[in-house]
Amino acid sequence: MTIIRPFLRATVLLLMVYFLTLGLGSDAQPTYLYHNCPNTTYTPNSTYQSNLRILLSSLSSNATVGNGFYNLTTGRDPNIVYGLYMCRGDVTNDTCGNCVETASKEILDRCPEEKVATTWYDECMLRFSNQSIFSILQESPGLSMWNTQNVSDPSGTFNQLVADTMNSLATRAASGQSRMKFATGEANFTGFQTLYSLVQCTPDLSASDCNRCLRGAIDALPSCCSGKRGGRVIRTSCNLRYEIYRFYGVEATSPAPSPIPLPPTPVFFHIPTIPVNALHLCFGSQNYTSGGQFETNLKHLFNSLYTKGPPSRFNTTISGETPDRVYGLVQCDPTSSEEDCRSYVNASSIEIVQKCPNRKQAVLRNDNCYLRYSDSSFFSQVDASPRLYAWPLKNVSDPLVFSQQLGALMDNLSTTAASSQIKYATGITNFTVFEKIYGLLQCTRDLSVRDCYLCLREIIGNIPTCCNGRAGGNVLSVSCNLRYEIYPFFEILSPPPPSPLEASPPPPQIEGDQNTNKTENGKFVLWANSDKDFISINGS
Ligand SMILES: *[C@@H]1O[C@H](CO)[C@@H](O)[C@H](O)[C@H]1NC(C)=O
Ligand SMILES: *[C@@H]1O[C@H](CO)[C@@H](O)[C@H](O)[C@H]1NC(C)=O
Ligand SMILES: *[C@@H]1O[C@H](CO)[C@@H](O)[C@H](O)[C@H]1NC(C)=O
Ligand SMILES: *[C@@H]1O[C@H](CO)[C@@H](O)[C@H](O)[C@H]1NC(C)=O
Ligand SMILES: *[C@@H]1O[C@H](CO)[C@@H](O)[C@H](O)[C@H]1NC(C)=O
Ligand SMILES: *[C@@H]1O[C@H](CO)[C@@H](O)[C@H](O)[C@H]1NC(C)=O
Ligand SMILES: *[C@@H]1O[C@H](CO)[C@@H](O)[C@H](O)[C@H]1NC(C)=O
Ligand SMILES: *[C@@H]1O[C@H](CO)[C@@H](O)[C@H](O)[C@H]1NC(C)=O
Ligand SMILES: *[C@@H]1O[C@H](CO)[C@@H](O)[C@H](O)[C@H]1NC(C)=O
Ligand SMILES: *[C@@H]1O[C@H](CO)[C@@H](O)[C@H](O)[C@H]1NC(C)=O
Ligand SMILES: *[C@@H]1O[C@H](CO)[C@@H](O)[C@H](O)[C@H]1NC(C)=O
Ligand SMILES: *[C@@H]1O[C@H](CO)[C@@H](O)[C@H](O)[C@H]1NC(C)=O
């Protein structure tokens, strides 16, 4: 218990908003979390300073050769400087190098003239001191972070699952070699949600010190992160994290695109527009005045999207100058023709103005077309909070098999959609001998592979909330959406070289569901939330 007391004693000293949506690719900037430097100043232009500069540049230049960990000393007593970095066990050499390079620069800005400092990023940590730090267990300073959203956990098993997973990972990591003490694991939470966990110690620790550090961190979980969708306990010598989306190894696994299996001959399904798939949101604290410059720019924007959007069914544009500048994005159903896309864009531009009169920010989404504009840039930014659920009243015959099959289909499609250029995937899976499940997942195309994947995992995790046991479901957010049914509702994308069969006689119509008005036999709810992590820091 003495291990965790210092951690608990210092309650929330600092609350910061941390967005979990920053990119993680090797070119991307590392995601800064926190730094700590106690008041231990050195004299400017002293030997200590020059030794420290040498240390940081050596760490930085050795950052791609160290297998994720490197320790170093520079100088002689009394101006000796000890330093080390550790990268997260799954990141590539490039990402590691990039993170250490950034950390060694930024720490000098954040802790100028400090003899002792530690800084943490998502991808790496770096520290230096005037005392030896190698192979010494150090728990403080540290921090904990959690997602403010609670996990939906009717059975009350989530915390136990987290603790069990962490305990088994701690044992695995502690017994790891002197090169790396790192372990990750996945555990089924519900049919749709997987718990992803990670633990890591600096590899210079002994097995028993690593174990001790991680057990202390696990003991601190209930006080920060009980019932939360994601949590981290970060200490100087070790750290742990869990989420309900894959946050490690994404670079290595997701970009391998698995093509959508296509039937030998293209199949077409003609499906009516189902009104319940429509979502519009009007944002912005300010309204524009009719006849003003903003309105003029908005009209130009719509014209420009009308011209630029249809050829590749997607485009973005910016119109006018600040303070009346407008940013816009349009995206059509990728199976639509260029001509159809043009008419959808036109119709959507009219509808969005009717639905959100004089609003400076708006989004309109329906089956055919997505249109969004704003007075500030939103490109490549993800908003995954589910805004609309819809489901049919019909129940499925075998909910257990259904959710297993659906879960597997959603897993598969989330990876495929995120890594595809058009950020779209459809798929079919068997349910009963007579029934199949048809699924569609999609993101706006400006999102990165990782952000699209995270957005989709977020809304997939909401399937049990809306649609448990139902024979269909829709979850719509601003940046992505999903839909599944036990009947075909999408067109299969034709393969790139158009087959002559495409021009053949009108494809068969699918019977049933043609004219179903989903608002009559289904329900929908609207809700909005924000999904941010809060950070609490313990003093040192
Ligand atoms: C840091 O320590 C120095 C000397 O001990 C003192 O003058 C200074 O006020 C301290 N700064 C802070 C921020 O505590
Ligand atoms: C490290 O620096 C601190 C603050 O200046 C000092 O109190 C401490 O004695 C130094 N430790 C060593 C080993 O030099
Ligand atoms: C440290 O050196 C820089 C340039 O070498 C000089 O501009 C600065 O005045 C010096 N600072 C002190 C406190 O000597
Ligand atoms: C790595 O660190 C050593 C010091 O241990 C330094 O001499 C060397 O220059 C660094 N390597 C590179 C590639 O800079
Ligand atoms: C990273 O660098 C180390 C040392 O050069 C090398 O052994 C390792 O294979 C590299 N890893 C990757 C993924 O390139
Ligand atoms: C790194 O740490 C190990 C373990 O404490 C130590 O044996 C080694 O000398 C250190 N390396 C350097 C360059 O100081
Ligand atoms: C999460 O659950 C806690 C405890 O049950 C509750 O106090 C809190 O309001 C919930 N937070 C959210 C965002 O639902
Ligand atoms: C999770 O469940 C799926 C099917 O429901 C199964 O295939 C998979 O092996 C399970 N994974 C774990 C880690 O238990
Ligand atoms: C903007 O317009 C909406 C709807 O027309 C209205 O509800 C809102 O109060 C207006 N906001 C401002 C700041 O005028
Ligand atoms: C957007 O439109 C411009 C101009 O028509 C075109 O050059 C660009 O390739 C389009 N972008 C995409 C992603 O299609
Ligand atoms: C689905 O069921 C059909 C007929 O029972 C079978 O031929 C097919 O292989 C199954 N597909 C999958 C992916 O299991
Ligand atoms: C669908 O149902 C809604 C609500 O009952 C109704 O207002 C609408 O006209 C219906 N649409 C069609 C196409 O029947």
Side-chain angles (χ1 to χ4, degrees):
M1 279 303 107
T2 50
I3 306 167
I4 63 168
R5 201 173 296 125
F7 212 80
L8 294 179
R9 187 184 56 213
T11 41
V12 183
L13 290 183
L14 175 61
L15 285 175
M16 287 162 66
V17 182
Y18 160 70
F19 296 88
L20 49 73
T21 50
L22 298 168
L24 256 196
S26 53
D27 297 335
Q29 278 300 101
T31 306
Y32 166 75
L33 301 177
Y34 192 60
H35 71 272
N36 175 280
C37 25
N39 189 5
T40 53
T41 50
Y42 55 75
T43 329
N45 298 349
S46 62
T47 317
Y48 194 88
Q49 180 177 50
S50 76
N51 289 343
L52 176 60
R53 295 258 149 109
I54 295 167
L55 178 103
L56 290 174
S57 86
S58 298
L59 284 179
S60 180
S61 55
N62 281 311
T64 53
V65 304
N67 224 322
F69 176 82
Y70 203 77
N71 63 347
L72 202 61
T73 56
T74 50
R76 294 217 173 84
D77 219 19
N79 290 307
I80 188 163
V81 192
Y82 302 82
L84 63 80
Y85 70 76
M86 176 174 75
C87 286
R88 207 177 63 206
D90 62 297
V91 304
T92 60
N93 280 353
D94 282 352
T95 305
C96 180
N98 189 13
C99 184
V100 174
E101 196 180 330
T102 305
S104 53
K105 282 196 195 103
E106 292 182 352
I107 191 117
L108 286 178
D109 299 331
R110 295 195 169 112
C111 301
E113 300 175 11
E114 300 291 346
K115 284 187 186 167
V116 182
T118 309
T119 184
W120 293 274
Y121 292 75
D122 252 355
E123 298 84 0
C124 69
M125 64 88 71
L126 180 144
R127 59 188 286 226
F128 57 80
S129 175
N130 66 340
Q131 306 186 22
S132 178
I133 53 174
F134 306 144
S135 307
I136 296 170
L137 170 60
Q138 179 85 35
E139 292 179 282
S140 153
L143 66 147
S144 51
M145 300 171 60
W146 60 91
N147 189 311
T148 51
Q149 293 289 306
N150 291 332
V151 75
S152 147
D153 182 22
S155 59
T157 54
F158 187 70
N159 290 337
Q160 193 57 48
L161 185 67
V162 172
D164 291 348
T165 310
M166 288 298 174
N167 278 317
S168 81
L169 293 182
T171 308
R172 244 170 62 202
S175 62
Q177 289 150 19
S178 58
R179 303 196 72 173
M180 197 183 281
K181 289 189 162 47
F182 170 72
T184 60
E186 284 152 37
N188 285 335
F189 170 43
T190 67
F192 305 99
Q193 285 180 319
T194 307
L195 172 70
Y196 296 90
S197 311
L198 174 156
V199 305
Q200 186 166 20
C201 294
T202 59
D204 57 333
L205 291 191
S206 66
S208 69
D209 279 347
C210 173
N211 200 39
R212 191 170 149 201
C213 188
L214 287 173
R215 302 290 162 191
I218 294 168
D219 286 348
L221 272 171
S223 63
C224 68
C225 309
S226 178
K228 300 298 176 196
R229 286 180 176 204
R232 313 185 199 193
V233 179
I234 298 173
R235 295 184 163 186
T236 309
S237 293
C238 70
N239 64 77
L240 59 81
R241 179 177 179 189
Y242 74 86
E243 302 286 354
I244 52 173
Y245 59 85
R246 182 187 286 279
F247 59 92
Y248 49 79
V250 176
E251 300 163 83
T253 55
S254 69
S258 49
I260 309 162
L262 286 164
T265 354
V267 183
F268 289 88
F269 300 120
H270 280 261
I271 304 301
T273 306
I274 293 168
V276 81
N277 269 355
L279 166 74
H280 75 270
L281 293 167
C282 314
F283 305 99
S285 53
Q286 291 184 330
N287 293 342
Y288 62 83
T289 44
S290 302
Q293 187 61 42
F294 191 91
E295 188 179 70
T296 309
N297 293 344
L298 187 60
K299 284 179 179 157
H300 281 140
L301 184 96
F302 290 149
N303 280 336
S304 165
L305 291 175
Y306 179 80
T307 315
K308 286 165 68 179
S312 50
R313 319 290 186 272
F314 166 81
N315 219 315
T316 57
T317 197
I318 302 171
S319 163
E321 298 302 326
T322 43
D324 293 308
R325 177 170 275 189
V326 199
Y327 300 79
L329 181 156
V330 75
Q331 182 166 328
C332 288
D333 171 1
T335 65
S336 62
S337 67
E338 184 172 342
E339 195 188 333
D340 283 348
C341 178
R342 196 162 288 120
S343 68
Y344 299 149
V345 178
N346 185 38
S348 293
S349 317
I350 295 166
E351 194 181 343
I352 203 168
V353 172
Q354 285 168 350
K355 293 234 155 93
C356 300
N358 297 82
R359 301 307 291 269
K360 284 200 171 175
Q361 302 180 9
V363 56
L364 176 73
R365 178 193 274 292
N366 62 42
D367 281 338
N368 301 323
C369 186
Y370 176 98
L371 178 65
R372 183 175 179 188
Y373 70 82
S374 173
D375 59 346
S376 61
S377 178
F378 56 86
F379 304 146
S380 306
Q381 290 170 20
V382 61
D383 177 350
S385 307
R387 306 299 186 124
L388 180 75
Y389 297 132
W391 63 93
L393 290 184
K394 186 174 167 9
N395 286 336
V396 288
S397 49
D398 188 342
L400 192 66
V401 173
F402 188 81
S403 67
Q404 278 171 355
Q405 293 297 93
L406 180 61
L409 179 67
M410 291 291 141
D411 267 3
N412 188 349
L413 293 182
S414 57
T415 317
T416 312
S419 53
S420 80
Q421 217 202 332
I422 57 171
K423 300 281 179 281
Y424 173 90
T426 59
I428 306 172
T429 189
N430 285 344
F431 170 36
T432 65
V433 184
F434 305 108
E435 288 173 306
K436 293 178 191 302
I437 308 173
Y438 299 80
L440 180 155
L441 299 186
Q442 154 168 264
C443 297
T444 59
R445 281 202 231 167
D446 55 325
L447 296 192
S448 67
V449 172
R450 178 180 167 79
D451 284 345
C452 175
Y453 178 75
L454 292 184
C455 190
L456 293 172
R457 292 317 306 182
E458 178 70 33
I459 61 172
I460 289 168
N462 278 278
I463 291 176
T465 312
C466 65
C467 315
N468 228 352
R470 305 294 184 182
N474 282 273
V475 185
L476 280 67
S477 80
V478 170
S479 297
C480 63
N481 66 296
L482 70 81
R483 180 173 175 197
Y484 61 91
E485 306 285 356
I486 53 170
Y487 57 85
F489 64 92
F490 50 80
E491 281 189 22
I492 306 284
L493 265 184
S494 47
S499 135
L501 283 171
E502 264 187 273
S504 61
Q509 298 269 316
I510 303 302
E511 298 301 325
D513 285 300
Q514 290 283 63
N515 299 306
T516 318
N517 185 340
K518 290 287 163 185
T519 53
E520 278 171 5
N521 65 0
K523 288 191 171 176
F524 55 95
V525 289
L526 247 180
W527 62 286
N529 63 17
S530 64
D531 197 3
K532 290 160 187 173
D533 276 355
F534 279 81
I535 309 183
S536 104
I537 311 297
N538 77 320
S540 57

